């Protein structure tokens, strides 16, 4: 019973939250961007032309402890730090 109540509250609480997080396609824990895994964004440096800040680094599908740092840089929009984890993106 308890679990059902919790479930329903979570459902209700979630209602007005717009969840459109980006999904990543990393098939390993290698976060390095290449021409293959980043065909549209490769060699482009203005990451936030295409990536919506509030939609990225939200879901920890890889189970890493890197997301706190990543969210910090994302929040302040510091694209000079993306390469710390994602490589130079061909730049
Ligand atoms: C011109 C648009 C564009 C720009 C600019 C861009 N990206 Fe992307 N990026 C995409 C698209 C579209 C995808 C998802 C589809 C795909 O796999 O290419 C993506 C996917 C990604 C992914 C997930 C890759 C994976 O394998 O799951 C990462 C990480 C990423 N981008 C980081 C960056 C960083 C860092 C920059 C800036 C240095 C950047 N992007 C600039 C369009 C862009
Ligand atoms: C401290 C490491 C770190 C830094 C710095 C970092 N990222 Fe990421 N990023 C990650 C990790 C880890 C993931 C994979 C998250 C998951 O799914 O587990 C990721 C995933 C992504 C994705 C795929 C969508 C998603 O939400 O998973 C995009 C796009 C992306 N990063 C863009 C950027 C951009 C743009 C910057 C620079 C502002 C940046 N990252 C800086 C660690 C980092």
């Amino acid at each position: 019973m308890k679990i059902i109540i919790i479930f329903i509250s979570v459902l209700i609480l979630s209602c007005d939250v717009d969840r459109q997080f980006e999904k990543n396609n990393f098939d390993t824990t290698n976060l390095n961007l290449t021409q293959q895994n980043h065909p549209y964004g490769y060699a482009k440096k203005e990451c936030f032309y295409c990536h919506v800040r509030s939609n990225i680094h939200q879901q920890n599908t890889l189970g890493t402890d890197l997301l706190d740092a990543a969210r910090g840089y994302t929040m302040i929009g510091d694209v000079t730090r993306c390469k710390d984890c994602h490589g130079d993106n061909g730049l």
Side-chain angles (χ1 to χ4, degrees):
M1 192 57 200
K2 220 180 196 172
I3 193 81
I4 294 174
I5 293 173
I6 293 172
F7 181 69
I8 291 173
S9 341
V10 169
L11 267 186
I12 293 170
L13 286 172
S14 314
C15 277
D16 63 343
V17 181
D18 189 16
R19 289 228 169 84
Q20 299 192 320
F21 300 145
E22 249 191 66
K23 299 265 186 298
N24 73 54
N25 301 306
F26 298 115
D27 49 3
T28 63
T29 48
N30 178 7
L31 300 170
N32 214 37
L33 294 170
T34 64
Q35 206 148 16
Q36 282 70 44
N37 69 15
H38 200 213
Y40 302 104
Y42 198 68
K44 300 208 168 80
K45 63 171 186 286
E46 295 303 334
C47 315
F48 298 121
Y49 280 169
C50 302
H51 296 287
V52 178
R53 282 204 262 168
S54 54
N55 292 352
I56 65 172
H57 298 136
Q58 296 303 307
Q59 289 181 306
N60 196 353
T61 56
L62 300 177
T64 74
D65 51 13
L66 294 169
L67 286 186
D68 279 347
R71 285 174 188 147
Y73 299 133
T74 305
M75 199 171 68
I76 61 174
D78 187 353
V79 292
T80 65
R81 301 305 298 266
C82 310
K83 63 174 174 329
D84 294 1
C85 298
H86 295 297
D88 67 5
N89 194 33
L91 292 161

